Amino acid sequence: MAKPFQLPPSLSELRNYVDGEFVSTGRCFPDISPLHGGLLAQVHEADAALVDRAVLAARRALDGPWGRAGVDERARWLHRVADVIERCFDEFVAAEVADTGRPLAQARTLDVYRGVANLRTFADLGKVAHGDCYETRLASGQELMNYTVRKPLGVVASICPWNLPLLSMTWKAGPALICGNTMVVKPSEETPASATLLAAAFHEAGVPPGVFNLVHGFGPGSAGEAMTRHPGVDAVTFTGESRTGAAIMKAVADGVKEISFELGGKNAAVVFADADFDAAVEGVVRSSFSNSGQVCLCSERVYVERPIFDRFVAALKARTEALKIGWPDDEGVFMGSLISHEHRDKVLSYYALAVQEGATVVSGGGVPTFGDERDAGAFVQPTIWTGLADDARCIREEVFGPVCHIAPFDTEDEVIRRVNDSAYGLAGCVWTSNLSRAHRVSRRFQVGIVWVNTWFSRDLRTPFGGSKLSGIGREGGRYSLDFYSETTNICLAL
Ligand code: NAD
């Protein structure tokens, strides 16, 4: 039976939200279902003139009730937005699922859950943000009091990816807004639905016009580029591909705008022979195949200590082949579709390239067949490779699909060298029962986050970000509050 996962009629046209009003532009692009290839909605693309209106509205809002509000009042507004999301929880879940093809359970327990948690966490953290104070005595005997005050940066442009749409938008909006900034937000062209619902939630919560503006569109020559080039934008927070980050960096250079970049990854998981074997197999299944491998933190490179290598590969293959792929609401489904048919072409091109580069395909490597409407969806099989050289493109480039390569290693020094031999530096996993080794190895990874005997466990107060091609800066907890604030030092002669 067909399970179309359509958007409701109220979302058949997705509009921009500028200065407190939903705005049509008449120039539309289609929002296509990755599950069945059908039309979900028409999306009204913002041009440079509408982006300009949004930025001007955001600037005006800095001087309005929002700009004059204290942190308690801003926190109340953010909590009210979170209340609306909670009340419309199922609508948000349905929008995320329709746009992304992911399992319903994931949209509930990760995407929409975190959407609420991001807003509430930063609303509360903002209230306890504080400055520094130093008492100074100069050689002359003059006494000084130095203290800092935090001020908003101004208008923040937030450009978001498609892989975790609501999570990414709220991860930026929570801290940016609690710090008193106003925003122009662009979701990915692939995932406009939950973004439109989020704008409606801001509207319903009574957040003053111009504080949260939403523009739909693409990157180059469209809304994304217009945002980064706009002189009225004070800071750009971007999550997406590393090469897009490089293009944005060039675009903001003339305006010397503040930037925070969360970019791509080619993350490694290292499994030592002393690890809890079953937990490590389960952990690697999750870290390689969750969200169909479309999480920047996924492990596409897995290094396993030689004594357990063959057993580990066999266990991972068995566990992977038992994973259920299918409709988002199928009982026990683990993987839905990829984000789009275009992205599937990219992932499949890596499946072919791996074979050309000499990989042994241990599992998957193609497209599943269902014999029903799902055959029109952007599904791929979770895939395990062995046998690639360390300099193979499939080892060096981010695939962003459900794939991992497993290689044996013999010593700690060797595996650390191979882990760090990457242009990226986002995240890593270590599986071991040796406490000293866990500390020793983790601190030598050239990445922003290391998980030991777990993966993707997050406390929103901790720093998040990457090194090398994986990003610039850290967000999370006080790191976000620091990025979204301008600090002024005031020095008083006593
Ligand atoms: P993408 O770079 O293609 O697009 C991201 C956003 O940038 C979209 O909204 C797009 O319209 C916009 N954009 C594209 N070109 C632009 C330009 N020149 N100027 C302004 N805006 C532009 O990324 P994607 O395919 O949506 O997302 C997948 C990528 O995101 C992967 O590389 C993944 O690793 C990365 N990612 C990183 C993190 C992290 O925290 N480090 C989190 C999620 C995703």
Side-chain angles (χ1 to χ4, degrees), residues 91-111:
E91 258 181 88
F92 276 89
V93 168
E96 291 284 84
V97 168
D99 266 355
T100 62
R102 69 195 35 175
L104 224 85
Q106 181 198 315
R108 283 199 186 104
T109 56
L110 175 64
D111 299 272

Side-chain angles (χ1 to χ4, degrees), residues 128-374:
V128 293
H130 52 79
D132 297 324
C133 183
Y134 303 96
E135 290 175 39
T136 311
R137 190 183 176 89
L138 301 178
S140 63
Q142 167 77 63
E143 288 188 287
L144 307 168
M145 169 82 81
N146 279 287
Y147 67 94
T148 60
V149 289
R150 289 169 177 271
K151 290 174 289 185
L153 293 169
V155 175
V156 175
S158 170
I159 300 179
C160 302
W162 47 256
N163 65 323
L164 297 168
L166 186 67
L167 187 157
S168 308
M169 279 182 295
T170 49
W171 171 245
K172 307 297 182 153
L177 294 176
I178 198 63
C179 290
N181 299 287
T182 58
M183 300 188 86
V184 180
V185 178
K186 192 189 88 59
S188 166
E189 53 275 28
E190 302 283 1
T191 51
S194 62
T196 310
L197 287 177
L198 182 63
F202 273 88
H203 191 78
E204 188 181 332
V207 176
V211 171
F212 180 90
N213 302 277
L214 179 82
V215 290
H216 289 296
F218 303 83
S222 182
E225 188 179 342
M227 287 163 74
T228 57
R229 294 201 181 277
H230 200 292
V233 165
D234 299 291
V236 176
T237 180
F238 168 71
T239 306
E241 281 195 23
S242 303
R243 63 171 171 263
T244 311
I248 291 176
M249 213 163 171
K250 287 182 192 134
V252 301
D254 284 343
V256 197
K257 299 184 202 302
E258 301 269 356
I259 49 166
S260 172
F261 282 175
E262 295 179 354
L263 308 178
K266 187 73 184 179
N267 310 303
V270 176
V271 183
F272 286 95
D274 60 27
D276 176 333
F277 186 86
D278 293 340
V281 171
E282 206 50 42
V284 169
V285 166
R286 282 186 59 235
S287 73
S288 296
F289 305 136
S290 289
N291 202 32
S292 300
Q294 303 165 121
V295 182
C296 52
L297 306 162
C298 277
S299 328
E300 294 189 1
R301 299 182 290 151
V302 181
Y303 299 94
V304 178
E305 204 169 2
R306 199 173 300 274
I308 60 163
F309 179 77
D310 290 340
R311 193 173 143 229
F312 191 90
V313 172
L316 192 70
K317 173 181 165 67
R319 185 65 188 84
T320 300
E321 289 174 0
L323 294 176
K324 192 160 173 180
I325 313 173
W327 293 120
D329 63 349
D330 280 346
E331 182 75 26
V333 69
F334 180 83
M335 266 177 47
S337 67
L338 295 177
I339 185 67
S340 66
H341 292 76
E342 189 188 346
H343 187 57
R344 182 170 72 166
D345 290 345
K346 178 187 158 191
V347 171
L348 289 177
S349 76
Y350 277 103
Y351 284 10
L353 178 65
V355 174
Q356 284 166 28
E357 290 188 309
T360 298
V361 181
V362 174
S363 185
V367 171
T369 45
F370 300 98
D372 58 28
E373 295 84 349
R374 287 172 293 185

